[in-house]
């Protein structure tokens, strides 16, 4: 066996530093500098210094550490590297004059525990590598990468080679190898794998942002490449020596093991970078709560508008090589290093596998995974990542708050007296990638009056301040709001100014018992204040004020022959009217009687004066005239007592938004002057038609929405006789008060 000094890389260099082929040190230039990356170390660790020039380092270049020669290595980052020999703890000096730098740099060897059993320390290294391999094997399950098993097989081959041959070293060489392996082994925890598929991880996880993910993976990639270059550079240098001994071979294998671990991690990360769509390209599809509004947002003063956005993301692609964004530039620089070190490693690996008889696996090939063409995917955008700017009209002031995937935007103006169109920008900036994308939004500031909430508006639920699909609004003699709460199977009374309601009928679950209601959807109030409640089972219950129970006054079979009941009303004279939308008729009963008289329609479905088409509601005035919401005909028909046909008093001019049209009327109420107020559920609006007028005026005509000033499901309306109209919004679960024009 070739003799060695007992300490690694001491007075005799592993690379033949004492050879007669030593070359004189290059001349020192004053402008050349070199600094240690870290001023502390341990025996067997890599000591790295960064130069401001390209050091000339050959196979015979050595440095002097406290008078001892050690081999020097270099990489493409202008770094000079050596392996710290086993010296006592304390201060040492490193002389870099052999590479042309006028520097003797101080270095501290930290206190360390001496290795007394080299074989156990080496065994600990191989056990550690086994743990790392198990972690890396999980990368094989990551859909974002295409790692393959070849790297894992290669790592196990080199790990086993060290284990099988280390006992053949001299005790001194074995000890030095133990220090090197102990101080340069990777930490298994540093390779923990997040196997989330990057195509899907933003579906329900706002905390995982695609840009942040790309940044995190890119930083990890760069760091792994730096370690790969360092360790494989040393291993490759050792592998290319003309006549390495066993100690040098195992040192090369140790460097290759650690370097290959980082190489595998780097390749896994760049594979994910090639797949991951993390570069924001544009904001798309702004959506107001409950629907897209033709790319225009309508605002009322200080009323919040809830809006969400999506963003289109793409992966890093080859054309990004010229990018000025530091992180993306680093990705390409690191990928280039991977390609270069991988090519160098192939040659070195072929050489080192010939040192031993053990059959070596083929080292896997590497292909750049960064694509040449882009594909995009759209993710919901977290509201907290968006900002508003560039409001086009200085008379409009925009403020906003954020929550989850939404922006809650308010517009206000101290000077505008008429509606005003304006624009503003929604901006997303990725601070890590330096990417900014902007979408310009068209908006309309509206100055007309808006509604105020008088009941509900606390989300769907069964609490005292909530509703679940309210259907009918009445106002009793005391001015209380009486609200039929369909899917809570109850009737609620809200006194003016109250923040919660009181159950006055039902509220004991769904059923046919006398104290229960069954998904009620129609309700009328008799002159004595008792409520007649129409249930989904076709029964009508009477509930007198203050009663804990109701009485069934009509069963399904009592009314079946008159058709499916869509609504009902009680006249001032105390007669019951039921509306059938399948037989297209209105039938009158004396309260309690099971025999009815057809008083409107009954002539089949149609648009003639004596016909109706899916009638939804009826109102009776003091003179006994019927006002019928003729839904499919988009009109309101007036039928005088005893008439065989009706007269159109609103609409009847087709479906549309013109002033002389109505859209899907469901309820009509009259004021003292016989003006008609119409709830148009088909058009999400409420209008007023003056008595005898040929057209109407919109009181509330809004996009579907849940902000104040917007409606969703205007199904029932009532007047208070004091200049206000109350609108029950089934979709928003609330009653809003609007001032009459």
């Amino acid at each position: 066996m070739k003799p060695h000094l007992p300490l690694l890389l001491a007075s005799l260099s592993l690379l033949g530093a004492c050879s007669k082929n030593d070359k004189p040190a290059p001349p020192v230039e004053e402008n050349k500098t070199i600094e240690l990356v870290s001023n502390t170390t341990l025996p067997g660790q890599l000591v790295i210094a960064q130069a401001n020039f390209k050091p000339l380092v050959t196979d015979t270049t050595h440095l002097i550490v406290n008078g001892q020669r050690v081999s020097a290595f270099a990489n493409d980052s202008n770094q000079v590297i050596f392996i710290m020999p086993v010296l006592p703890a304390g201060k040492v000096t490193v002389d870099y004059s052999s590479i042309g730098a006028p520097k003797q740099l101080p270095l501290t060897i930290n206190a360390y525990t001496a290795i007394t059993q080299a074989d156990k320390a080496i065994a600990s290294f191989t056990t550690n590598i086994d743990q790392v391999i198990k972690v890396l094997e999980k990368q094989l399950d990551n859909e974002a990468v295409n790692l393959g098993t070849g790297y894992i097989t290669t790592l196990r081959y080199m790990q086993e080679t060290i284990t099988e041959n280390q006992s053949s070293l001299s005790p001194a060489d074995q000890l030095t190898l133990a220090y090197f392996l102990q101080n340069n082994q990777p930490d298994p925890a540093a390779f923990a794998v997040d196997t989330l598929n990057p195509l899907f991880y933003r579906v329900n996880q706002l905390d995982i942002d695609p840009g942040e993910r790309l940044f995190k993976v890119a930083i990890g990639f760069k760091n792994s490449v730096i370690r790969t270059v360092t360790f494989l550079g040393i291993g490759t240098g050792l592998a290319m020596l003309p006549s390495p001994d066993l100690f040098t071979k195992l040192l090369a294998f140790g460097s290759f093991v650690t370097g290959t671990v980082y190489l595998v991690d780097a390749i896994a990360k760049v594979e994910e970078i090639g797949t991951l769509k993390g570069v924001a390209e544009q904001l798309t599809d702004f959506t107001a709560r409950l629907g897209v509004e033709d790319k225009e947002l309508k605002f009322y003063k200080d009323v919040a508008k809830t809006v969400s956005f999506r963003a289109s993301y793409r992966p890093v692609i080859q054309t990004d090589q010229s990018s000025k964004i530091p992180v993306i530039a680093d990705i390409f620089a690191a990928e280039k290093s991977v390609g270069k070190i991988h090519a160098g490693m192939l040659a070195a690996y072929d050489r080192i596998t010939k040192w031993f008889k053990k059959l070596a696996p083929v080292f896997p090939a590497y292909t750049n995974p960064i694509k040449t063409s882009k594909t995009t995917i759209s993710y919901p955008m977290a509201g907290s990542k968006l900002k508003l700017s560039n409001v086009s009209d200085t008379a409009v002031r925009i403020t906003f708050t954020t929550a989850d995937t939404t922006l809650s935007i308010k517009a206000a103006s101290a000077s505008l007296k008429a509606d005003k169109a304006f624009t503003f920008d929604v901006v997303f900036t990725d601070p890590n990638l330096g990417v900014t994308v902007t979408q310009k939004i068209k908006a309309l500031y509206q100055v007309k009056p808006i509604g105020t909430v008088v009941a509900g508006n606390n989300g769907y639920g069964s609490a005292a301040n909530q509703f679940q699909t309210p259907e009918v609004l009445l106002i009793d003699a005391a001015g209380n709001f009486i609200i039929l709460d369909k899917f809570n199977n109850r009737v609620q009374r809200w006194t003016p100014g109250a923040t919660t309601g009181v159950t006055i009928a039902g509220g004991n679950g769904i059923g046919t018992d006398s104290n229960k209601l069954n998904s009620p959807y129609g309700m009328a109030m008799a002159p004595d204040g008792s409520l007649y409640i129409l249930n989904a089972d076709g029964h009508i219950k009477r509930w007198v004020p203050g009663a804990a129970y109701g009485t069934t006054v009509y069963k399904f079979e009592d009314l079946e022959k008159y058709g499916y009941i869509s609504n009902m009303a009680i006249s001032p004279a105390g007669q019951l009217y039921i509306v059938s939308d399948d037989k297209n008729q209105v039938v009158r009963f004396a309260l309690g009687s099971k025999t009815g008289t057809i008083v409107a329609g009954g002539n089949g479905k149609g648009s003639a004066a004596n016909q109706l088409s899916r009638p939804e509601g009826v109102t009776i005035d003091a003179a006994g005239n019927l006002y019928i919401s003729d839904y499919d005909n988009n009109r309101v028909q007036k039928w005088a007592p005893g008439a065989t046909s009706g007269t159109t008093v609103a609409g009847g001019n087709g479906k549309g938004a013109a002033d002389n049209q109505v859209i899907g009327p469901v309820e009509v109420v009259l004021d003292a002057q016989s003006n008609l107020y119409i709830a148009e559920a088909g058009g999400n609006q409420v209008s007023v038609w003056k008595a005898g007028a040929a057209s109407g005026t919109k009181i509330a005509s809004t996009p579907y929405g849940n902000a104040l000033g917007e409606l969703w499901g205007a199904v029932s309306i009532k007047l208070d006789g004091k200049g206000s109209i109350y609108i029950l919004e089934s979709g928003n679960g609330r009653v809003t008060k609007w001032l009459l024009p």
Side-chain angles (χ1 to χ4, degrees):
M1 180 177 176
K2 186 178 179 179
H4 292 283
L5 289 177
L7 298 182
L8 170 67
L9 305 178
S11 57
L12 290 179
S13 167
L14 278 176
L15 300 184
C18 292
S19 168
K20 294 180 180 179
N21 295 323
D22 277 3
K23 299 178 182 179
V28 173
E29 297 181 17
E30 293 300 327
N31 62 343
K32 290 184 177 180
T33 62
I34 190 167
E35 299 293 339
L36 291 170
V37 172
S38 173
N39 293 317
T40 61
T41 188
L42 291 170
Q45 279 192 346
L46 302 178
V47 178
I48 304 173
Q50 183 74 49
N52 69 344
F53 62 100
K54 190 67 177 176
L56 180 60
V57 178
T58 69
D59 291 348
T60 59
T61 302
H62 62 271
L63 307 175
I64 305 298
V65 180
N66 265 24
Q68 296 188 19
R69 294 170 179 260
V70 295
S71 296
F73 306 92
N75 62 30
D76 291 337
S77 301
N78 291 357
Q79 291 179 340
V80 180
I81 304 167
F82 70 91
I83 301 170
M84 189 68 202
V86 181
L87 293 173
K91 295 188 180 299
V92 297
T93 301
V94 184
D95 188 342
Y96 285 93
S97 58
S98 62
I99 63 166
K103 277 280 188 178
Q104 288 195 348
L105 300 179
L107 181 64
T108 299
I109 301 175
N110 291 330
Y112 61 91
T113 301
I115 294 176
T116 57
Q117 293 180 293
D119 57 340
K120 290 186 177 181
I122 295 172
S124 176
F125 170 80
T126 56
T127 299
N128 172 273
I129 293 300
D130 189 63
Q131 294 174 352
V132 174
I133 290 172
K134 289 178 180 178
V135 174
L136 291 175
E137 282 179 322
K138 295 180 181 179
Q139 292 279 23
L140 302 177
D141 299 324
N142 191 343
E143 296 181 40
V145 304
N146 185 28
L147 190 58
T149 60
Y151 293 104
I152 305 299
T153 305
T154 301
L155 277 171
R156 290 201 181 280
Y157 160 74
M158 290 189 287
Q159 172 201 27
E160 292 167 1
T161 299
I162 294 173
T163 301
E164 293 168 358
N165 290 276
Q166 57 89 18
S167 60
S168 299
L169 294 175
S170 68
D173 288 344
Q174 196 177 41
L175 180 64
T176 304
L177 179 64
Y179 272 108
F180 174 77
L181 296 178
Q182 175 182 270
N183 288 311
N184 293 287
Q185 60 187 0
D187 180 4
F191 300 91
V193 179
D194 179 358
T195 58
L196 288 171
N197 186 333
L199 295 178
F200 302 108
Y201 61 60
R202 262 303 291 276
V203 174
N204 295 309
Q205 300 186 53
L206 288 174
D207 56 326
I208 304 178
D209 180 271
E212 292 176 359
R213 171 81 170 195
L214 176 60
F215 179 76
K216 177 182 177 181
V217 175
I219 294 300
F221 172 52
K222 179 181 176 181
N223 291 336
S224 289
V225 169
I226 291 172
R227 290 172 173 82
T228 300
V229 169
T230 299
F231 285 100
L232 290 186
I234 292 174
T236 300
L238 292 169
M240 294 304 177
L241 291 176
S243 301
D245 57 18
L246 178 62
F247 175 72
T248 306
K249 292 175 181 178
L250 293 183
L251 189 64
F253 265 82
S255 299
F256 260 70
V257 167
T258 301
T260 303
V261 164
Y262 286 111
L263 176 64
V264 173
D265 187 61
I267 291 175
K269 285 181 168 60
V270 75
E271 287 274 3
E272 182 170 354
I273 288 170
T275 303
L276 179 62
K277 296 174 177 64
V279 182
E281 192 162 59
Q282 62 179 337
L283 292 175
T284 61
D285 302 331
F286 94 79
T287 306
R289 181 72 60 83
L290 308 176
V292 176
E293 297 183 342
D294 299 324
K295 299 300 182 184
E296 181 180 71
L297 290 179
K298 295 179 179 178
F299 290 98
Y300 303 92
K301 181 179 180 180
D302 291 328
V303 176
K305 186 72 172 181
T306 302
V307 183
S308 61
F309 287 81
R310 298 180 71 85
S312 174
Y313 283 84
R314 66 168 178 82
V316 174
I317 56 178
Q318 286 295 328
T319 54
D320 290 323
Q321 290 189 70
S322 59
S323 173
K324 302 299 182 184
I325 298 171
V327 174
I328 294 179
D330 286 346
I331 288 173
F332 283 95
E335 194 285 324
K336 184 177 180 181
S337 293
V338 168
K340 184 175 181 180
I341 195 69
H342 195 281
M345 184 178 181
L346 286 176
Y349 181 76
D350 183 63
R351 182 177 176 86
I352 67 172
T353 56
K354 291 182 172 60
W355 290 343
F356 301 96
K357 295 180 180 179
K358 183 180 179 66
L359 184 64
V362 176
F363 195 79
Y366 168 74
T367 302
N368 184 352
I370 299 178
K371 301 175 180 64
T372 57
S373 60
K374 71 176 181 179
T375 56
T376 61
I377 192 168
S378 178
Y379 297 110
M381 175 59 66
S384 60
K385 297 182 180 297
L386 301 175
K387 302 296 180 184
L388 305 185
S389 64
N390 295 332
V391 179
S392 65
D393 195 310
T394 56
V396 180
R397 181 174 60 87
I398 292 286
T399 58
F400 68 96
T401 57
T402 65
D404 295 330
T405 60
T406 63
L407 289 176
S408 183
I409 309 172
K410 290 182 179 181
S413 177
S415 59
L416 290 176
K417 304 300 182 185
D419 292 357
K420 179 70 174 181
F422 67 100
T423 63
F424 62 92
D425 291 340
V426 178
V427 182
F428 166 66
T429 299
D430 187 328
N432 295 321
L433 300 181
V435 174
T436 298
V437 291
T438 302
Q439 183 172 356
K440 188 170 291 295
I441 303 299
K442 294 180 180 179
L444 179 67
Y445 180 78
Q446 297 176 297
V447 297
K448 66 182 181 181
I450 62 171
T452 56
V453 176
V454 296
N457 202 41
N458 296 297
Y460 266 33
S462 58
N465 67 342
Q466 295 177 307
F467 300 109
Q468 290 201 78
T469 313
E471 289 284 346
V472 181
L473 169 66
L474 302 174
I475 299 180
D476 66 14
N480 300 307
F481 305 110
I482 310 300
I483 303 163
L484 183 66
D485 191 6
K486 180 177 181 178
F487 290 124
N488 280 324
N489 301 287
R490 67 187 181 185
V491 178
Q492 294 288 89
R493 180 180 67 221
W494 287 63
T495 58
T499 57
T500 58
V502 176
T503 300
I504 59 173
N508 299 299
I510 188 171
T512 58
D513 296 345
S514 59
N515 69 335
K516 295 180 180 180
L517 295 174
N518 188 349
S519 300
Y521 64 94
M523 181 174 66
M525 184 179 291
D528 65 357
S530 60
L531 299 175
Y532 285 72
I533 304 169
L534 173 62
N535 289 273
D537 56 14
H539 296 356
I540 297 176
K541 282 186 177 180
R542 178 175 181 255
W543 218 290
V544 300
Y549 302 91
T551 302
T552 299
V553 291
Y554 291 94
K555 295 182 179 179
F556 171 76
E557 51 267 30
D558 298 331
L559 304 173
E560 180 180 10
K561 65 181 179 180
Y562 297 108
Y564 179 81
I565 305 174
S566 58
N567 214 327
M568 64 183 188
I570 297 177
S571 70
Q575 294 175 308
L576 174 68
Y577 292 77
I578 65 169
V579 182
S580 170
D581 65 356
D582 65 334
K583 293 199 173 182
N584 299 288
Q585 62 188 18
V586 179
V587 184
R588 182 183 68 220
F589 297 81
L591 277 176
S593 171
K594 306 300 190 295
T595 302
T597 302
I598 297 173
V599 293
N603 299 302
K605 183 176 183 178
S607 58
N610 68 339
Q611 292 179 307
L612 299 170
S613 181
R614 194 182 161 193
E616 286 290 330
V618 62
T619 296
I620 309 96
D621 66 14
N625 296 302
L626 308 183
Y627 294 84
I628 303 168
S629 305
D630 194 8
Y631 190 93
D632 281 349
N633 283 324
N634 296 292
R635 68 187 182 183
V636 175
Q637 294 292 90
K638 177 181 179 180
W639 289 63
T644 58
S645 62
T647 302
T648 301
V649 292
N653 297 301
K655 184 177 181 180
D659 289 344
N660 69 340
Q661 295 175 309
V662 296
I663 308 177
V666 293
E667 185 168 293
V668 179
V669 298
L670 289 82
D671 64 13
Q673 290 75 40
S674 296
N675 301 314
L676 303 178
Y677 297 83
I678 308 169
E680 302 176 40
N684 200 51
Q685 61 190 20
V686 175
S687 60
V688 57
W689 289 62
K690 300 295 184 181
S695 61
T697 301
K698 304 295 189 296
I699 296 172
S701 179
T702 79
Y704 285 90
N706 61 359
L708 290 178
E710 298 173 334
L711 300 175
W712 186 21
V715 296
S716 188
I717 53 177
K718 289 297 177 288
L719 300 169
D720 65 0
K722 301 176 182 179
S724 297
I725 187 170
Y726 297 86
I727 304 174
L728 175 64
E729 302 175 40
S730 179
N732 280 328
R734 69 188 182 192
V735 178
T736 49
K737 176 183 178 180
W738 296 66
L739 297 176
L740 295 174

